[in-house]
Amino acid sequence: MNTRFQDLVAENWTRAVAEASFNFSAYEPEVIASLGAIDPEERSAAVAVALEANACHLHDRILALFHDENEHVRHEVLEYIAECGTPKDCDKLIKHLRTHEHSFNTCLALVRASGLTGPVIDDDDSDLEKERLVSEWELLLRKHGLLR
């Protein structure tokens, strides 16, 4: 039997995120359970709800989805980190930046996690330019002791 949140996601992802975010205290257990769902749409909706509800206390559970097989889930995780990131996320983020996936959102997440302002890497930048800018980020993070 499906939960209310699962039914909402199956009907309309956007409405599910809005409803569960607005009534987060009522939906929180279902949202947490949905972070481990088989359905990637349900996982991405759960992360989006945590973001919209500013549920930074779920940081470690959300971060566990950082390397999710689904691109939409990974994108939601980056958006979440852009709001709830911590300095301990910098290592993962700089490694992810090297993949060139969601470069702009990864930069936003790095700004939040590090508290620093580094170069903005646009998704449309050339691979060579991205590599140069990633190196700038690495130097900046090392200078502030945020990379191991």
Side-chain angles (χ1 to χ4, degrees):
M1 181 148 175
N2 286 347
T3 65
R4 293 174 300 162
F5 183 66
Q6 288 171 319
D7 287 340
L8 282 171
V9 172
E11 281 179 35
N12 184 307
W13 189 96
T14 303
R15 199 172 101 225
V17 171
E19 168 70 21
S21 299
F22 185 73
N23 297 304
F24 187 67
S25 61
Y27 281 94
E28 184 172 9
E30 296 173 32
V31 169
I32 291 170
S34 290
L35 292 171
I38 293 170
D39 178 15
E41 202 167 307
E42 187 179 338
R43 289 193 309 277
S44 70
V47 175
V49 169
L51 167 63
E52 294 301 320
N54 199 31
C56 293
H57 64 282
L58 297 179
H59 176 273
D60 291 346
R61 290 178 179 188
I62 304 289
L63 199 63
L65 296 172
F66 193 84
H67 296 292
D68 193 274
E69 67 212 26
N70 183 273
E71 188 243 336
H72 298 292
V73 175
R74 292 191 306 271
H75 183 264
E76 291 297 333
V77 169
L78 284 172
E79 290 203 6
Y80 176 89
I81 295 170
E83 291 297 319
C84 295
T86 67
K88 70 179 183 175
D89 300 333
C90 291
D91 279 324
K92 278 187 185 242
L93 289 168
I94 203 71
K95 287 176 187 166
H96 187 71
L97 204 50
R98 288 227 175 263
T99 71
H100 301 181
E101 179 186 70
H102 305 300
S103 298
F104 181 76
N105 285 336
T106 306
C107 283
L108 294 178
L110 264 172
V111 167
R112 170 61 183 201
S114 68
L116 303 170
T117 302
V120 174
I121 303 174
D122 194 288
D123 292 327
D124 295 330
D125 286 342
S126 70
D127 286 350
L128 187 60
E129 179 68 0
K130 286 179 183 178
E131 285 301 317
R132 184 184 73 72
L133 295 171
V134 170
S135 294
E136 283 186 33
W137 262 111
E138 286 178 328
L139 287 171
L140 180 64
L141 293 170
R142 278 196 174 85
K143 177 181 174 183
H144 288 69
L146 295 171
L147 280 185
R148 290 180 230 151

